[in-house]
Amino acid sequence: MSFYIKKIYAYGSGKKTSVIELDKGLNIIYGPSNTGKTYIINVIDYLFGGKTNPIDILSGYDTVAMDIVEENGYTINLKRKLDSTKIKIETNHPDIESKEYTTKKAGNILLSLIGIDDIPQIISSQEYKSQNLTWRTILNMFLIDENRISSNNSIITSLSFKNITAALSSLLYLINGEEQNIPDDHESGAIKKAKREAVTKYIKKHIISLTERNDKLQEELKLNKANDIDAEIERLLQEISATDEKISASMKKSKKLLKDIYDLSAKIEEAEFLKERYAALESQYVSDIKRLEFIINGEQKQVFNTQNEKCPFCDSAIKPHTHHSYTKASQAELDRIKMMLADLKETIEAITEELNGYKDNLKLYETENNEILNLIELELKPYTDELKKSLASYQSKQQLIKEIEVIKSVADNMNAEMFEVEHEEDSEIKYNPKNHFERDTIDKINKYLDEMLRESAFPEYLTSRVDLGTFDVITNSRNKSIEGQGFKSFINTIFAFVLMKYLSIEGKYAPKLLIIDSPIMALTERESNNSNGMKAALFEYLVKNNNYGQVIIAENEIPNIHYKDAKLIEFSGLKDKGRCGFLINPN
């Protein structure tokens, strides 16, 4: 039994419904970033019981839905509002009631669609703890989002819950449909083992810590006693307080000096302005004096020519010129301006003397302020810093003494139990799911893995296998964790497809579904334009092998190959070219 996703919807009040229609085989949704490709992956995850809202609620869309079609043709519609813990199911399936379900109950219905009607128990820890198999438990195997695609861990685990035991138990159940047996005496052995390991680990950890700290403490203390340290701490606190008071007093004095400096600067500026104005006036007076003296001298030296009574050219009579003297008026004005100039010079001398006094005082204030600031920055603050360093050192010593006393007390009490705890009989047999995988199962998975890696042009490929310890892929004896991000994504994609293929062919129960976000986006090839490169080869393999279940891939750019009957959905990111993105008209 199986199903496939037919349609994905997003609804919102006043919004045109956004719909994406998918096919049973290979579906590739591609286009630039931020066009909504990841929204589609998130919507599927959300309708499969995820907790995180799949789309931004500010987009105006508040509900998502999905049509799935099971192998007999019945349609099941799952609808869920954002921030809701309920999933509404509407269906024509005769065995499923149309109503609202919790996410867990909805997951159980999805399990029934692949044939799991009675929810089994799976072993989730080496101590034989058990839990119900859930849809979310197996979802990690076939829904790999952009955060997990390049993970160092096996794809059968999630980023938040890396329980390999539960994941492998789930995979075993999908393979053979059998629940693992739990030994009758496993619980007591588990409790004993857990107690012994916890106690011994605690004691050893603190004894090592005690030894290291004790050595350090003895070196730092140099045989000083705790009460000496207490006295030194008190002294340092008093000195710090006294120094802080000096700094505060100096800062107040500096603040007052700065005010005085500001006031003096204003007075100097005003005096210099007046001095400049008076100097300009003095220059004007000097010019006026020179002009008046010139007039007076000219008047005194003027000689009137009375010899020619007739014009030498025309022999006509020349009219005598009547001259008015300005000497007396000019002399009076000259005397007045000289008196004003004398007064002005006295004023300038007074202002100059006052200005020099201001400047002398300003220099004294600035010198005093600089001395105060130097005292603060070069003496008081460094001294305070040294005091605080010394205080921190003594406080650290004090803390170390208290800590070592506590640890020693705990160690003394627990050391008495150490011998008995270390010699307790271990009757526990741990559960290891890898021991339950048949050799034939691993051989077939390795065969499919080898085939896909070869056909996907994995560089310098020789051999591969599944490591049962991590249940992850080893290529050419290289652990996946040492590969780059792009190669990790490539290997994780291949492994996910191989598991889907194996379960589809050999498994008792098979989801026959694989959803991957950005399998090749981080992959940079040596020859990016090589049509025979890894990206092209991987997609060609997916195109040729599209009969093991529905595959949904979201990617930015896809290789230029012939995609035959694969469903291609392009998001252009442009409003005037094709479909812009998943959401038709977001806010």
Side-chain angles (χ1 to χ4, degrees):
M1 296 181 67
S2 64
F3 65 86
Y4 75 96
I5 299 170
K6 181 65 177 175
K7 291 183 180 180
I8 296 171
Y9 308 81
Y11 305 95
S13 177
K15 295 289 181 181
K16 185 176 179 180
T17 300
S18 296
V19 184
I20 290 293
E21 188 165 354
L22 304 170
D23 288 345
K24 290 182 66 174
L26 176 62
N27 299 266
I28 303 173
I29 307 158
Y30 68 102
S33 299
N34 295 325
T35 53
K37 303 184 300 296
T38 296
Y39 276 171
I40 294 173
I41 308 298
N42 293 343
V43 166
I44 296 172
D45 181 61
Y46 191 63
L47 291 167
F48 279 167
K51 295 180 180 180
T52 304
N53 281 342
I55 59 179
D56 187 356
I57 199 167
L58 296 178
S59 66
Y61 290 87
D62 60 1
T63 304
V64 292
M66 176 170 64
D67 285 341
I68 60 176
V69 181
E70 60 95 62
E71 64 182 18
N72 294 319
Y74 295 112
T75 300
I76 300 96
N77 176 267
L78 295 87
K79 183 180 290 186
R80 186 177 177 187
K81 286 187 173 295
L82 302 189
D83 293 325
S84 173
T85 59
K86 302 285 187 179
I87 297 176
K88 185 177 181 180
I89 291 180
E90 293 182 356
T91 180
N92 60 352
H93 196 292
D95 298 326
I96 301 174
E97 183 180 359
S98 294
K99 66 174 188 178
E100 204 170 53
Y101 293 85
T102 63
T103 54
K104 185 176 181 181
K105 291 285 182 65
N108 290 344
I109 291 175
L110 293 170
L111 286 175
S112 71
L113 293 178
I114 64 171
I116 304 175
D117 295 313
D118 298 321
I119 304 303
Q121 290 277 301
I122 60 167
I123 299 173
S124 59
S125 73
Q126 292 182 332
E127 290 74 31
Y128 287 89
K129 290 183 180 179
S130 62
Q131 66 180 53
N132 288 336
L133 177 71
T134 68
W135 183 252
R136 297 295 297 182
T137 311
I138 64 173
L139 182 65
N140 298 311
M141 301 179 198
F142 59 86
L143 193 153
I144 307 170
D145 61 26
E146 60 183 350
N147 296 316
R148 293 180 55 231
I149 189 61
S150 59
S151 173
N152 279 330
N153 301 308
S154 172
I155 56 157
I156 67 173
T157 63
S158 70
L159 291 176
S160 59
F161 189 66
K162 303 181 181 68
N163 188 339
I164 191 72
T165 302
L168 289 176
S169 294
S170 301
L171 180 58
L172 279 169
Y173 185 80
L174 293 179
I175 291 172
N176 56 40
E178 298 174 357
E179 295 186 52
Q180 287 81 42
N181 295 323
I182 301 175
D184 294 335
D185 62 344
H186 79 280
E187 186 174 3
S188 60
I191 293 173
K192 288 180 181 178
K193 186 66 175 177
K195 177 182 176 182
R196 180 171 67 252
E197 289 179 351
V199 172
T200 55
K201 182 178 179 180
Y202 181 87
I203 293 173
K204 289 177 181 178
K205 174 184 175 182
H206 283 77
I207 288 177
I208 292 172
S209 176
L210 173 64
T211 302
E212 293 174 350
R213 285 186 170 274
N214 183 64
D215 291 342
K216 182 179 178 180
L217 179 63
Q218 294 302 330
E219 182 180 351
E220 291 179 359
L221 290 179
K222 295 180 179 178
L223 303 179
N224 287 337
K225 296 182 179 179
N227 56 352
D228 296 330
I229 294 174
D230 291 338
E232 188 63 19
I233 288 174
E234 182 62 26
R235 182 189 68 79
L236 288 170
L237 287 171
Q238 291 176 357
E239 286 195 30
I240 290 171
S241 177
T243 307
D244 286 341
E245 288 179 2
K246 290 180 181 179
I247 292 174
S248 178
S250 298
M251 292 297 291
K252 287 180 180 178
K253 190 172 182 181
S254 175
K255 186 176 181 180
K256 182 180 181 304
L257 283 170
L258 287 173
K259 183 179 181 303
D260 293 338
I261 289 170
Y262 176 83
D263 292 339
L264 271 177
S265 297
K267 290 179 180 180
I268 289 171
E269 184 176 353
E270 182 180 359
E272 286 179 339
F273 175 76
L274 288 174
K275 186 177 178 181
E276 289 175 2
R277 293 290 298 273
Y278 288 156
L281 185 57
E282 181 184 19
S283 177
Q284 182 64 43
Y285 284 167
V286 171
S287 296
D288 290 343
I289 289 170
K290 289 180 179 180
R291 178 177 56 82
L292 290 170
E293 287 178 344
F294 175 79
I295 292 172
I296 293 169
N297 291 335
E299 287 286 323
Q300 291 175 352
K301 293 178 180 181
Q302 184 175 10
V303 177
F304 295 98
N305 186 2
T306 57
Q307 293 178 357
N308 295 326
E309 296 179 352
K310 291 185 179 183
C311 177
F313 297 100
C314 65
D315 200 35
S316 62
I318 297 175
K319 184 178 180 180
H321 174 71
T322 302
H323 176 74
H324 300 283
S325 175
Y326 298 98
T327 302
K328 186 176 181 180
S330 297
Q331 186 64 51
E333 181 63 12
L334 178 62
D335 293 339
R336 186 182 69 83
I337 292 175
K338 285 184 176 180
M339 287 177 62
M340 292 173 64
L341 179 60
D343 292 339
L344 182 61
K345 286 183 177 181
E346 289 179 3
T347 302
I348 291 174
E349 288 175 0
I351 289 175
T352 301
E353 184 178 355
E354 184 180 28
L355 183 60
N356 291 335
Y358 288 158
K359 289 182 177 180
D360 290 341
N361 288 337
L362 179 63
K363 188 173 182 180
L364 290 174
Y365 288 163
E366 288 177 341
T367 301
E368 186 177 0
N369 187 55
N370 288 334
E371 289 175 354
I372 291 172
L373 293 177
N374 287 336
L375 174 67
I376 293 172
E377 294 299 326
L378 302 179
E379 293 184 26
L380 295 179
K381 283 188 177 180
Y383 183 61
T384 300
D385 291 341
E386 288 298 321
L387 291 174
K388 288 180 178 179
K389 287 180 182 178
S390 298
L391 178 63
S393 175
Y394 279 106
Q395 287 175 333
S396 176
K397 294 174 185 178
Q398 186 182 57
Q399 182 61 33
L400 285 171
I401 291 174
K402 292 179 180 178
E403 184 177 343
I404 202 169
E405 290 173 352
V406 173
I407 294 176
K408 188 176 185 306
S409 176
V410 173
D412 288 341
N413 292 333
M414 297 186 72
N415 265 328
E417 300 179 25
M418 191 67 162
F419 180 84
E420 294 180 5
V421 171
E422 288 182 337
H423 289 79
E424 280 184 352
E425 182 179 354
D426 186 5
S427 60
E428 173 66 8
I429 300 175
K430 290 184 177 180
Y431 169 72
N432 194 336
K434 72 177 184 180
N435 296 331
H436 295 266
F437 281 89
E438 298 291 340
R439 177 62 183 268
D440 180 68
T441 296
I442 299 302
D443 285 346
K444 286 182 178 177
I445 292 176
N446 285 339
K447 176 185 174 183
Y448 298 151
L449 188 63
D450 179 80
E451 170 192 289
M452 191 170 181
L453 282 166
R454 288 183 186 279
E455 292 194 27
S456 298
F458 193 85
E460 302 174 352
Y461 177 75
L462 178 63
T463 185
S464 62
R465 66 180 177 87
V466 174
D467 175 60
L468 282 179
T470 60
F471 209 80
D472 212 346
V473 178
I474 302 293
T475 55
N476 297 338
S477 296
R478 288 165 59 91
N479 192 292
K480 184 183 70 179
S481 63
I482 68 173
E483 303 287 2
Q485 187 176 5
F487 270 59
K488 290 175 188 173
S489 301
F490 192 84
I491 293 170
N492 285 337
T493 300
I494 288 178
F495 192 30
F497 186 90
V498 165
L499 289 179
M500 181 188 73
K501 178 179 177 179
Y502 176 81
L503 289 174
S504 178
I505 298 172
E506 307 287 346
K508 175 73 174 178
Y509 306 109
K512 294 185 180 180
L513 185 64
L514 180 59
I515 305 152
I516 300 179
D517 194 353
S518 307
I520 61 170
M521 185 172 69
L523 181 62
T524 302
E525 298 184 74
R526 295 174 185 173
E527 297 180 16
S528 58
N529 295 323
N530 186 355
S531 60
N532 297 319
M534 297 168 64
K535 296 179 181 180
L538 173 63
F539 275 72
E540 285 175 345
Y541 184 90
L542 295 175
V543 170
K544 289 190 296 183
N545 295 269
N546 65 351
N547 57 327
Y548 300 109
Q550 184 182 39
V551 177
I552 303 170
I553 290 177
E555 187 57 83
N556 280 21
E557 297 179 0
I558 58 175
N560 184 19
I561 65 169
H562 180 41
Y563 287 93
K564 299 181 181 178
D565 56 350
K567 176 87 170 184
L568 297 182
I569 302 172
E570 182 181 9
F571 293 163
S572 67
L574 303 172
K575 293 183 179 180
D576 57 350
K577 180 182 177 183
R579 179 159 184 169
C580 179
F582 173 52
L583 300 181
I584 299 299
N585 58 339
N587 290 337

